Amino acid sequence: MKKIICENSNKNKVEFTYDFPFFLSTANGLYEKIGTVSTVSSAFGIGETYSGTSVKKRNIVITGIIKDKFLERRQTLYNMFPLKTEGTLYYYEDNIARKINYIVESVEVEEKGIPRAFTISLICPYPYFKDIEDSKVSMATWTPTFVFPMVSEKDVGLEFATKNVTTMGTVTNNTNLEFGMTIIFTANGNVENPYLINVETQEKILVNITMEAGDQIIVTTQRNNKNIQYIPVATGIAENINYLMEYGSKFLQIHSGENTLRAGAETDEENLTTVVSYSVEYEAV
């Protein structure tokens, strides 16, 4: 069964299904993949030369009916979808689960009749759907081994954790889109100049900074969110350090196919823990 859940900026939710109180009639704008192809012509050429394709915003229009408690149901929709506010639409059908962010354009509810129809128009400036939950790849992480009840043998030390020394991880992208990621570098001791490299493409991002135990660097490489933040353990306050990205570095993207990622540092690499999280993107549901 198809199900659509909308969550507004106040974390309130409303559900549209093939059942009441908000019966789903249609949901347009979910399945289209529409691009604008640009070409260039020359005075003496034949035909035109392809220069690129732009992908426009997505307009999702939900229509449905309500059959009772008309005033209450209407106010619920008005409260859920204030104009100009942002929210997230979640789409479920069989084994498909996707989400997309929207801005409310309009809400209309019929004044008379039994039942009464409603129409909700949502604009998605970023037109791609994403997985509902992020996926993660962890490199050189620690696994806790200290448990209760604690047994301490004489002249034998206690093992609190073991380190996974793997510094590489693989991300498989089965779509035709490339998308960004979030990289979290955490220092367990002194670390100088942490980096992440895509082994297949040799693309690399390196931050010229010396980290101390407990320091974190958070790198975001999504299309509309490219940023590097440093959170020193001493203050816990995030600082923007884009200017410390080494010349020639790239805000890495997950390309179509296999992506082998290797984390490291120019010195004291053994003190670095790296976690990469990402959300697969889709042109339509």
Side-chain angles (χ1 to χ4, degrees):
M1 178 183 290
K2 183 191 304 181
K3 178 170 66 175
I4 294 173
I5 297 176
C6 290
E7 181 180 46
N8 64 17
S9 56
N10 293 322
K11 303 301 181 182
N12 297 319
K13 296 181 180 181
V14 64
E15 184 175 302
F16 304 99
T17 63
Y18 297 131
D19 199 0
F20 293 98
F22 299 105
F23 186 94
L24 177 65
S25 299
T26 62
N28 296 321
L30 296 170
Y31 313 104
E32 292 87 350
K33 299 195 296 183
I34 301 175
T36 301
V37 176
S38 299
T39 58
V40 178
S41 60
S42 60
F44 304 102
I46 299 175
E48 297 186 353
T49 301
Y50 172 74
S51 61
T53 300
S54 63
V55 182
K56 305 300 183 183
K57 64 185 179 184
R58 182 181 297 273
N59 184 195
I60 298 176
V61 179
I62 300 171
T63 65
I65 56 176
I66 51 180
K67 66 176 183 179
D68 58 9
K69 300 181 180 179
F70 299 114
L71 178 59
E72 177 184 332
R73 310 294 190 205
R74 185 172 71 237
Q75 290 303 315
T76 296
L77 293 178
Y78 288 162
N79 292 335
M80 270 297 308
F81 299 99
L83 295 181
K84 302 186 290 185
T85 60
E86 299 181 0
T88 303
L89 181 147
Y90 299 89
Y91 178 89
Y92 302 90
E93 185 177 9
D94 295 334
N95 62 341
I96 295 176
R98 306 280 189 265
K99 68 179 180 181
I100 191 169
N101 294 330
Y102 64 79
I103 297 174
V104 179
E105 182 179 47
S106 65
V107 179
E108 300 177 45
V109 182
E110 284 186 341
E111 180 184 358
K112 300 177 181 179
I114 301 177
R116 299 181 188 178
F118 62 84
T119 303
I120 301 165
S121 179
L122 308 173
I123 302 296
C124 306
Y126 191 77
Y128 294 149
F129 290 86
K130 296 183 178 182
D131 281 340
I132 291 179
E133 299 293 338
D134 285 353
S135 300
K136 290 186 178 182
V137 177
S138 299
M139 289 163 270
T141 54
W142 288 86
T143 302
T145 58
F146 184 77
V147 295
F148 286 100
M150 180 187 71
V151 178
S152 178
E153 299 181 22
K154 185 178 180 181
D155 299 325
V156 177
L158 288 174
E159 185 180 75
F160 286 87
T162 58
K163 187 172 185 180
N164 166 25
V165 296
T166 301
T167 59
M168 301 179 70
T170 300
V171 177
T172 302
N173 177 9
N174 293 319
T175 76
N176 293 320
L177 300 176
E178 65 174 32
F179 46 84
M181 66 187 89
T182 298
I183 309 161
I184 301 179
F185 296 116
T186 302
N188 303 303
N190 289 338
V191 174
E192 186 175 347
N193 303 343
Y195 64 79
L196 186 73
I197 185 171
N198 185 316
V199 175
E200 278 82 17
T201 65
Q202 289 299 296
E203 296 170 319
K204 183 179 184 180
I205 185 167
L206 183 149
V207 185
N208 288 305
I209 191 172
T210 299
M211 304 173 69
E212 298 180 353
D215 290 354
Q216 276 195 335
I217 293 175
I218 301 176
V219 183
T220 52
T221 73
Q222 291 83 7
R223 286 186 181 87
N224 299 323
N225 182 26
K226 292 181 169 62
N227 199 31
I228 304 175
Q229 288 192 320
Y230 171 54
I231 307 176
V233 69
T235 65
I237 300 174
E239 307 171 18
N240 190 300
I241 58 168
N242 287 343
Y243 63 93
L244 293 179
M245 186 171 75
E246 183 174 84
Y247 179 77
S249 288
K250 291 187 176 182
F251 284 103
L252 300 181
Q253 301 294 297
I254 302 294
H255 301 292
S256 182
E258 295 292 316
N259 295 260
T260 304
L261 305 176
R262 184 190 186 283
E266 292 192 337
T267 62
D268 299 310
E269 181 178 295
E270 66 277 5
N271 293 331
L272 182 68
T273 295
T274 305
V275 176
V276 174
S277 62
Y278 61 92
S279 182
V280 180
E281 297 186 354
Y282 307 89
E283 292 178 305
V285 297

